[in-house]
Amino acid sequence: MVSDPDIDNAVAILRRGGLVAFPTETVYGLGADARNPEALGRLYAAKGRPAGHPVIVHLADVSQLAQWARELPPAAVRLAARFWPGPLTLILPRAPAVSDAVTGGQDTVGLRIPSHPVAHALLTKFGSGVAAPSANRFGRVSATTAQHVKQEFGDAIDLVLEGGPSEIGIESTIVAVTGERPVLLRPGHIPAREIEQAAGVPLGAPDTGSPRAPGTLAAHYAPQTPLIVMEGDLLLELAASLTRQGKRVAVLAHGTLQPLFSGLTWIVAPPDAPVYAHDLYANLRALDAAECDAILVEKLPQQPEWDAVNDRLGRAAAGSSPTST
Ligand code: TXA
Ligand code: MG
């Protein structure tokens, strides 16, 4: 996988303001020195991300927290103790030295301590915060392998650290702990009820004005091919009608749905929510690569364990629709 010299090389690149993609247990991140505004500028440019959107700062361990957050509310301490290192991002009141390029000019900062051994080795050796959005072009499907990162960015970044396929496959659960109650900003692998239990207080409702989060924009995580989510029987009807019109159709099926006629690009996704999530972005990339006219995704159960996947599919559908911006 990755050797000590690879980590040393990655650290040297970060120190001179370069961009290093690295594996985490959720998805691959595209990293830059979070204290270096020029490196952050390069990061935004490579992603094609509009300015003013905040990025998550990744840390090696909790001893670094005070440099980034000016306050650790009790609920944040409990959540950190329970879920770090791991797939949780906490939005906390920012420390004075944190740059606007990281926070998008907000009074908060997003922090995460990932558990992937390569990420941990990189962050430990670097010794400071690494700003890292998901390693995909803005609005597009996140990357869960080093190969996907290379397909996204080619030579536009300095190094990709290999860490195998991401264990979880979708982005971290984001919880803002800035007011009386923690607020779930982005569902993820850690279910809302576990966040609530660990925090020891009920979750509050999101404030519609702020904080801003592109991962919570209606359109995001989208393949290039238009994507539609629908019930299995309707999906087959639509697939048949499109095929009759000479269109090429890709399907992400789930459960027992069968391709009743030939000519469809057909992937059967795993039945359990965590495994479905694990494969989701690789499946979307594979269906996108088939260059069909539409990707039809079989609708999933509307139950809490499917929240994170339903959230991503809903935004992928909005992001690929011809009417979205
Ligand atoms: O699993 C993950 O979280 C991955 C890995 C690489 O750690 N990262 C990731 O980053 O998904 P990104 O930039 O694609 O999504 C981070 C989300 C964005 O929606 C961003 O707006 C939000 O976190 N965010 C970051 N800082 C914030 C802040 N201070 N207030 C509100 N939202 C914030
Ligand atoms: Mg992202």
Side-chain angles (χ1 to χ4, degrees), residues 19 28 30 42-50 133-143 148-157 171 214 219-224 285:
L19 303 180
Y28 275 69
L30 180 58
R42 232 168 265 143
L43 178 65
Y44 275 60
K47 258 193 83 91
R49 189 179 220 175
S134 51
N136 54 278
R137 305 238 177 213
F138 183 70
R140 295 291 167 199
V141 179
S142 302
H148 293 164
V149 179
K150 288 175 190 156
Q151 283 163 8
E152 285 284 316
F153 295 106
D155 294 337
I157 62 179
E171 305 77 2
H220 214 74
Y221 312 112
Q224 317 261 327
R285 280 173 185 272

Side-chain angles (χ1 to χ4, degrees), residues 230-240 243 248-269 283-284 286-288 290 292 294-298:
M230 61 180 66
E231 300 285 356
D233 46 354
L234 277 177
L235 184 155
L236 285 177
E237 278 178 42
L238 182 61
T243 305
R248 297 181 58 233
V249 179
V251 175
L252 186 57
H254 176 249
T256 56
L257 196 68
Q258 294 292 325
L260 294 180
F261 49 94
S262 60
L264 300 173
T265 299
W266 190 275
I267 293 183
V268 183
N283 283 338
L284 291 182
L287 294 170
D288 212 13
C292 291
I295 298 175
L296 307 184
V297 178
E298 184 179 359

Side-chain angles (χ1 to χ4, degrees), residues 58-146:
H58 295 67
L59 303 174
D61 61 71
V62 289
S63 68
Q64 298 167 311
L65 279 179
Q67 296 164 41
W68 300 90
R70 69 171 180 275
E71 200 190 317
L72 282 179
V77 176
R78 290 194 202 104
L79 289 170
R82 169 80 177 77
F83 297 112
W84 276 347
L88 173 74
T89 295
L90 291 177
I91 307 297
L92 297 168
R94 76 193 252 189
V98 185
S99 91
D100 281 348
V102 163
T103 67
Q106 302 179 90
D107 192 35
T108 55
V109 61
L111 301 175
R112 172 157 120 78
I113 299 179
S115 65
H116 193 292
V118 173
H120 185 72
L122 175 69
L123 293 165
T124 303
K125 197 134 214 186
F126 184 62
S128 178
V130 173
S134 51
N136 54 278
R137 305 238 177 213
F138 183 70
R140 295 291 167 199
V141 179
S142 302
T144 52
T145 66

Side-chain angles (χ1 to χ4, degrees), residues 26 49 54 56 58 108 112 133-134 172 174 186 211-215:
T26 57
R49 189 179 220 175
I56 299 171
H58 295 67
T108 55
R112 172 157 120 78
S134 51
S172 60
I174 303 184
R186 182 174 69 183
R212 292 188 304 270

